[in-house]
Amino acid sequence: MAAFVLLGAALVGCGGGGAPAPVVKEPTESKGPVASRSASPRADAAAGAKPAPERGAGQGAVPTMAPGPGGLTPVYSRRVAKSPKSAEKVVALTFDADMTADQGPRAASGERFDNPQLIATLRRLKVDATVFMTGRWAEEYPDQARSIGGDPRFEIANHSYSHYAFASPCYGLPTVAGPDMTADVQRAFDAFRDAGAVNVVPYFRFPGGCYDDAALRALGPAGVTAVQWDVVSGDAFAKDADAVAEQVIDGVKPGSLVVMHCTRSAAPVTEEAIRRIVPELRARGYRFVKVSELMSRG
Ligand SMILES: [Zn+2]
């Protein structure tokens, strides 16, 4: 039961619950996206780490945001149009693939932290999407990580190695110490690479969405753009796919970024909700894009 509660905290922390995170700072959008030379976070230089993720051949530069003052990690939460008239009806669906370091035995005993049916449905419906993956998830499901990261429809972004919090308190999650934050993010990138994932982008979602200035400063050397959201799907532990679909459909505006989950055991109706969300938003004129495309059109 205790483990269940911990996972609950992890998923609620992803934005699935009703209560806002106690230390979540309002996302600040600084300076608009700038083209970076490559997807490579600067972590390799700063931490002496292994090579950072790279895009597959011919995929071009991945848009990122300029760092804030003093090298602060920039934070992105949605596309903001210059004027309502220029607001294109695009929306980015994002799926957090959570898994903590201590959930291996549960996975070994049959609990499914993955959701291959969800990925298959996104492919069938031709929906581009961004998966914020923990390194631990990529280690548990390397074939799926490679498949997702080898499909041009998807991109893999970083959701930490083991879903520990980068600011405290954060839904009861264990905390990563400031000096270890960049290495934790790099460890997840390493796991994606070891799984053979190709389309890896230098975006990072804080576990639980919890961050503060100290975390943004500590993560500066990682060279990532932090990605939050403006629409909470409420899919964590939801039993009613219609309610999730309704919440997303009602919340989406041009340029929105939606947080959902890619883990069956704790977000069991997400795939069903997607089957309702996608045709409805398309009927309203929306197009589904990856975060990188959303960020490139700011
Ligand atoms: Zn999460």
Side-chain angles (χ1 to χ4, degrees):
M1 189 61 194
F4 177 82
V5 169
L6 176 62
L7 178 64
L11 279 156
V12 167
C14 282
V23 294
V24 168
K25 217 174 118 75
E26 275 303 303
T28 52
E29 310 226 12
S30 65
K31 315 251 161 107
V34 293
S36 68
R37 279 185 297 106
S38 76
S40 302
R42 287 159 300 202
D44 47 344
K50 294 165 194 153
E54 288 172 10
R55 297 287 274 185
Q59 298 221 18
V62 181
T64 58
M65 293 178 71
L72 225 59
T73 298
V75 182
Y76 183 83
S77 61
R78 64 177 293 250
R79 179 187 172 201
V80 180
K82 291 191 178 73
S83 72
K85 226 177 137 188
S86 67
E88 193 188 350
K89 282 189 161 180
V90 289
V91 55
L93 300 181
T94 67
F95 298 90
D96 292 355
D98 294 350
M99 193 161 172
T100 62
D102 60 357
Q103 286 171 338
R106 289 167 59 186
S109 66
E111 186 169 345
R112 299 296 297 259
F113 296 91
D114 60 344
N115 195 341
Q117 199 183 349
L118 168 65
I119 298 299
T121 295
L122 292 170
R123 283 177 168 141
R124 182 171 58 81
L125 298 177
K126 298 182 169 32
V127 175
D128 286 4
T130 303
V131 178
F132 283 84
M133 195 178 284
T134 57
R136 185 65 191 80
W137 196 98
E139 287 177 355
E140 190 69 30
Y141 307 107
D143 293 348
Q144 292 186 57
R146 182 169 54 251
S147 172
I148 294 167
D151 185 337
R153 188 165 295 293
F154 304 124
E155 61 192 9
I156 294 178
N158 195 312
H159 194 33
S160 82
Y161 175 73
S162 182
H163 211 273
Y164 284 4
F166 283 57
S168 183
C170 182
Y171 302 102
L173 294 175
T175 309
V176 180
D180 300 332
M181 288 179 183
T182 291
D184 183 273
V185 170
Q186 185 60 45
R187 189 177 176 193
F189 280 132
D190 289 349
F192 306 155
R193 186 206 53 214
D194 291 347
V198 180
N199 304 329
V200 178
V201 289
Y203 306 149
F204 175 69
R205 174 162 287 158
F206 287 100
C210 305
Y211 67 96
D212 53 20
D213 279 350
L216 295 179
R217 205 171 301 115
L219 266 189
V224 291
T225 296
V227 174
Q228 297 284 102
W229 56 80
D230 69 311
V231 177
V232 173
S233 67
D235 67 342
F237 303 107
K239 293 189 173 68
D240 182 351
D242 282 336
V244 173
E246 215 167 283
Q247 188 161 319
V248 171
I249 291 161
D250 289 351
V252 164
K253 301 186 289 281
S256 275
L257 210 157
V258 184
V259 58
M260 305 186 86
H261 293 90
C262 180
T263 179
R264 263 181 299 174
S265 67
V269 301
T270 305
E271 188 269 342
E272 189 183 348
I274 281 295
R275 283 188 269 125
R276 290 166 197 198
I277 291 164
V278 168
E280 177 60 30
L281 286 180
R282 279 186 172 146
R284 296 182 185 197
Y286 280 91
R287 192 165 65 80
F288 297 95
V289 298
K290 288 174 273 196
V291 170
S292 56
E293 183 175 349
L294 196 72
M295 212 179 284
S296 72
R297 299 159 166 266

